[in-house]
Amino acid sequence: MRYIFFVLVSIVLMSCEPSKVENISFADNKVIAHRGAWKTKNLPENSIASLKHAINLNCAGSEFDVRMTLDKVLIVTHDADYNGLNVETSTYKELSKSKLSNGEVLPTLRDYIIAGMTNNTSTGLVCEIKPSKTQGRNIEITNKVLDLVKELKAESYISYYISFSYEILKHITTINPNAKTLYLDGSKAPNVLKNDSITGLDYLMFKLKKKPQWIKEAKDLGLILNAWTANSIDDIDWLIANDFDYITTNEPELVFDRIKSSPTKEDYKLVWSDEFNYFGKPDSSKWHHEIGLIRNHEKQYYTDSLKNSRVEDGFLILETHKEKIKNASYENSDVKNWRKNQPFANYTAASLTTRDLAEWKYGRIDIRAKLPKGVGLWPAFWMLGANYGEVGWPECGEIDIMEHVGFSADSIFGTIHTKSYNHMRGTQKGKNIFVENPYDTFHTYTLIWTPDYMDFVLDEKVYNHIENEHKTSHEWPFDQKFHLKINVAVGGMLGGRKGIDDDAFPNKMMIDYVRVYQKEDKL
């Protein structure tokens, strides 16, 4: 009987042990739940419930914050104060009298890690050690965290240690060279992290947008790239497009959704972009300005003035004005060339091009923009073949990703022009689609271009599909590189068909980003 009793006791005790795996395999996705997955279910941040929900969502990681109480208890909480009590000057007994909003007791790190090891096969624990202002306390808390992780045999569950304290991270790498560490502060360049054996960076979004060169530098150095806290579609899409390893978010469900709809899901790789995260003139390494009276008998004079094109507040602004401007190409009024027989133009605008700077053959181009309003305006995102200078138009081919005319306020159209199919012959291949509030709302205008077809897309909806007939270059001159143009025209052969409303000036086209993707086998 005594033997049976001990067997039964052993079985009961074993059933109380957390269900653990020897070597956890972290989920192959980018999603790090910030303080757990708490938002959609209205759970407390840094609660065991929010951790469990992150595990249920199969997030690659769940981040949590660690502090130490007056009586040396490691607890999971974000702020230096908890319900009006300072964590470092209060005992755990005092602090734990106030429960979390879901009734949980304020979790100790021990209980939190054990919960994270239970029935979890894929979600890493991202342990943020909060720095202290008390001399020597950073090292003390770090040692206690590492000792606890070792005691619980939880090393394989801790995917990363992160901190705003460089002292803490360097101490971790000294004690445990195999531990993976990410720096949060955003103040150090990637090469500094690499030299100090820090695994990677986990920087605030706006710091990375201000220093986008750090993204490439980090990748070249083999550092892990993470960013916090990305909660908007725009920020999440930017991180996905730039192939960050992880995205720390309060919206893990949204990140999963955006990953599913991202071009990267179709094996596209971002090869060129302008996010307009700077101020002043458009980046001269990416854009040239066209200057003067250029095409289509349009009425505007293109300039490189800041008045007409500039980057501010995260947007490229193309601003069109009604104003008299001298035509630098004027010869006299008797010459036949319309570009040279006008001493002045009555409008100024901007036209940017990547010609001689960047050209691509096949891929996907996304442009997110808000269009200018007014009869007589003709904004466009379009492309010309690299051989334009040799063979001219239309033999070079033209791809109109998006055109809009102010006299047709509720539609945009996508078109191709070739020697066989062009508007001079009335044979161009184009279609239009209704667009809701193009002047007040940003929309994404997309071209998907392959050797066999082109798709013209508005907000992820294909509205024009053009097949390659596999005849000659007269029908399909699109097996070569093309450069991109962005402009707002005034009047001209199409834009001016119903006159020009001078009350529409000045006006702005706002562009949030331009992104060019290509598939690996097309690079």
Side-chain angles (χ1 to χ4, degrees):
M1 289 295 293
R2 182 177 296 178
Y3 172 76
I4 295 173
F5 172 77
F6 281 121
V7 169
L8 290 173
V9 170
S10 298
I11 292 172
V12 170
L13 290 174
M14 289 177 63
S15 68
C16 294
E17 286 287 318
S19 175
K20 298 180 289 185
V21 295
E22 289 298 321
N23 291 297
I24 184 172
S25 180
F26 301 132
D28 185 17
N29 61 61
K30 300 176 183 291
V31 186
I32 305 294
H34 184 233
R35 305 176 199 166
W38 53 270
K39 190 172 182 180
T40 58
K41 291 184 175 292
N42 197 29
L43 299 169
E45 300 175 28
N46 276 317
S47 64
I48 289 176
S50 67
L51 167 63
K52 287 296 186 182
H53 188 44
I55 293 170
N56 290 337
L57 289 174
N58 197 38
C59 296
S62 185
E63 182 264 355
F64 58 95
D65 306 291
V66 179
R67 292 186 181 275
M68 188 168 68
T69 67
L70 178 64
D71 53 341
K72 313 297 185 184
V73 177
L74 298 174
I75 62 172
V76 177
T77 190
H78 178 267
D79 295 339
D81 294 324
Y82 177 74
N83 280 347
L85 296 176
N86 180 272
V87 171
E88 291 192 355
T89 60
S90 303
T91 66
Y92 177 67
K93 184 176 181 180
E94 292 170 330
L95 294 165
S96 62
K97 288 179 182 178
S98 299
K99 294 186 177 181
L100 303 184
S101 61
N102 67 339
E104 280 186 33
V105 175
L106 176 66
T108 65
L109 180 59
R110 176 182 293 274
D111 290 340
Y112 197 91
I113 290 176
I114 290 174
M117 297 169 67
T118 304
N119 299 319
N120 176 18
T121 61
S122 59
T123 299
L125 305 182
V126 181
C127 178
E128 179 178 347
I129 301 176
K130 288 293 187 182
S132 171
K133 295 180 181 179
T134 303
Q135 184 71 27
R137 195 172 173 90
N138 282 346
I139 300 303
E140 182 181 9
I141 187 174
T142 303
N143 286 338
K144 286 182 72 66
V145 169
L146 294 176
D147 288 344
L148 179 60
V149 169
K150 185 176 182 180
E151 176 194 335
L152 295 175
K153 298 180 180 179
E155 291 95 334
S156 63
Y157 286 85
I158 305 294
S159 53
Y160 296 97
Y161 292 99
I162 63 177
S163 185
F164 284 94
S165 167
Y166 210 60
E167 176 191 30
I168 287 174
L169 296 183
K170 290 188 72 174
H171 184 66
I172 292 173
T173 62
T174 300
I175 298 299
N176 182 2
N178 294 322
K180 295 180 179 180
T181 53
L182 303 178
Y183 187 44
L184 289 170
D185 184 72
S187 60
K188 296 186 184 296
N191 66 304
V192 176
L193 302 180
K194 183 71 173 181
N195 291 338
D196 288 331
S197 299
I198 305 301
T199 310
L201 54 87
D202 185 357
Y203 288 172
L204 191 60
M205 284 284 305
F206 88 89
K207 293 190 176 184
L208 288 164
K209 287 188 173 183
K210 284 183 175 295
K211 294 186 176 180
Q213 69 274 15
W214 281 4
I215 298 172
K216 184 179 186 305
E217 290 173 18
K219 289 180 179 180
D220 290 344
L221 291 169
L223 297 177
I224 294 295
L225 272 169
N226 194 354
W228 59 277
T229 302
N231 299 320
S232 70
I233 288 176
D234 289 348
D235 284 346
I236 293 166
D237 286 353
W238 181 76
L239 292 171
I240 296 171
N242 281 278
D243 196 24
F244 272 60
D245 295 292
Y246 299 109
I247 299 171
T248 297
T249 179
N250 295 333
E251 305 276 2
E253 296 91 345
L254 177 61
V255 177
F256 279 119
D257 285 343
R258 297 313 299 170
I259 290 171
K260 290 177 184 177
S261 60
S262 169
T264 60
K265 189 71 173 176
E266 303 297 325
D267 297 324
Y268 279 107
K269 179 181 178 63
L270 187 70
V271 296
W272 187 96
S273 69
D274 200 337
E275 303 290 335
F276 307 111
N277 295 312
Y278 52 92
F279 289 88
K281 286 185 173 292
D283 186 343
S284 61
S285 70
K286 296 181 178 180
W287 305 101
H288 286 317
H289 284 85
E290 295 186 292
I291 305 294
L293 297 167
I294 304 296
R295 53 187 161 260
N296 297 326
H297 290 273
E298 296 159 4
K299 302 301 182 182
Q300 81 291 332
Y301 192 92
Y302 286 132
T303 83
D304 61 358
S305 168
L306 281 170
K307 186 176 185 180
N308 296 118
S309 60
R310 62 189 178 276
V311 175
E312 60 186 25
D313 299 325
F315 300 103
L316 170 64
I317 308 294
L318 298 191
E319 188 167 310
T320 308
H321 290 263
K322 177 173 171 52
E323 59 181 338
K324 194 172 185 180
I325 184 172
K326 186 176 180 179
N327 177 14
S329 298
Y330 174 70
E331 293 180 0
N332 63 70
S333 57
D334 296 326
V335 300
K336 292 183 178 179
N337 189 329
W338 68 277
R339 299 176 183 85
K340 299 179 179 181
N341 63 16
Q342 302 176 61
F344 298 96
N346 293 313
Y347 306 90
T348 60
S351 178
L352 305 185
T353 177
T354 67
R355 186 180 183 186
D356 300 326
L357 294 172
E359 294 179 315
W360 310 275
K361 178 182 175 181
Y362 312 134
R364 172 181 173 130
I365 299 176
D366 288 343
I367 303 172
R368 185 171 185 265
K370 186 188 295 185
L371 304 183
K373 180 179 182 180
V375 173
L377 296 180
W378 183 6
F381 313 135
W382 55 296
M383 306 181 79
L384 284 179
N387 63 349
Y388 171 76
E390 291 76 50
V391 304
W393 184 94
E395 284 85 347
C396 68
E398 176 182 332
I399 307 169
D400 297 325
I401 300 172
M402 187 288 305
E403 287 186 281
H404 173 75
V405 286
F407 60 78
S408 183
D410 62 354
S411 66
I412 55 103
F413 45 97
T415 313
I416 63 166
H417 298 272
T418 71
K419 187 171 182 179
S420 294
Y421 307 122
N422 64 78
H423 70 271
M424 302 300 288
R425 301 172 62 176
T427 55
Q428 73 274 11
K429 291 190 173 184
K431 288 184 179 179
N432 67 312
I433 185 174
F434 170 78
V435 58
E436 187 173 2
N437 297 325
Y439 312 127
D440 303 315
T441 304
F442 282 94
H443 294 276
T444 303
Y445 306 95
T446 298
L447 169 72
I448 298 173
W449 168 24
T450 79
D452 298 311
Y453 67 87
M454 287 186 191
D455 280 340
F456 295 79
V457 187
L458 171 64
D459 296 331
E460 302 182 11
K461 178 181 179 181
V462 177
Y463 67 94
N464 190 11
H465 176 82
I466 300 174
E467 297 275 353
N468 181 356
E469 300 170 83
H470 296 289
K471 293 181 179 178
T472 72
S473 62
H474 292 180
E475 293 78 27
W476 188 268
F478 304 116
D479 293 323
Q480 62 165 325
K481 290 186 175 182
F482 274 62
H483 56 264
L484 178 66
K485 294 179 184 287
I486 295 177
N487 65 265
V488 179
V490 180
M493 291 186 292
L494 177 58
R497 286 183 180 178
K498 296 191 178 181
I500 300 171
D501 178 8
D502 284 343
D503 290 334
F505 300 90
N507 56 70
K508 296 179 182 179
M509 179 160 72
M510 301 178 66
I511 300 171
D512 187 12
Y513 58 75
V514 180
R515 295 173 185 160
V516 180
Y517 303 83
Q518 290 183 302
K519 294 197 174 183
E520 292 283 355
D521 61 348
K522 302 302 179 186
L523 297 179

